[in-house]
């Protein structure tokens, strides 16, 4: 935790994180980040958004709690966090009458 008046410390990104940022900057491929709990996946994904040129970005989350937390932390209006269930159900509601 940073105390008031204390300067922010520059983050040191790992080799793996820097490779992810480079892929985001130079590749049009989809990206999947797999890592153990507590390794910085969310922080890496949020930083990765800064390197992407896509007009729309989907961050797929495992459950609604994670999707909601991630959506609250996204500082980029191009990106949206959703569960795969929410994506599928949205498609069904859009294409089938009477589904609520």
């Amino acid at each position: 935790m940073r105390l008031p008046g204390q300067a922010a410390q520059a983050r040191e990104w790992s080799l793996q994180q820097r490779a992810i940022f480079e892929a985001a900057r130079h590749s049009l491929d989809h990206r999947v980040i797999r890592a153990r709990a507590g390794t910085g996946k969310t922080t890496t994904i949020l930083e990765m958004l800064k390197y992407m040129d896509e007009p729309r970005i989907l961050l797929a989350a495992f459950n609604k709690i994670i999707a909601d937390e991630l959506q609250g932390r996204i500082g980029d209006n191009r990106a949206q966090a959703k569960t795969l269930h929410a994506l599928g159900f949205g498609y069904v509601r859009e294409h089938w009458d009477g589904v609520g």
Side-chain angles (χ1 to χ4, degrees), residues 46-90:
L46 294 173
E47 179 70 17
M48 181 180 69
L49 296 176
K50 297 175 186 177
Y51 298 93
M52 299 174 72
D53 291 333
E54 287 82 356
R56 293 176 62 202
I57 301 167
L58 171 66
L59 303 176
F62 182 73
N63 63 40
K64 185 173 179 0
I65 293 170
I66 295 169
D68 290 346
E69 179 190 339
L70 188 55
Q71 187 62 43
R73 292 179 61 187
I74 294 172
D76 188 325
N77 60 3
R78 300 171 301 148
Q80 190 172 23
K82 288 186 174 263
T83 65
L84 295 179
H85 179 271
L87 288 170
F89 189 54

Side-chain angles (χ1 to χ4, degrees), residues 32-48:
V32 175
I33 297 175
R34 288 180 19 178
R36 295 187 187 274
T39 58
K41 291 181 297 293
T42 301
T43 301
T44 301
I45 290 167
L46 294 173
E47 179 70 17
M48 181 180 69

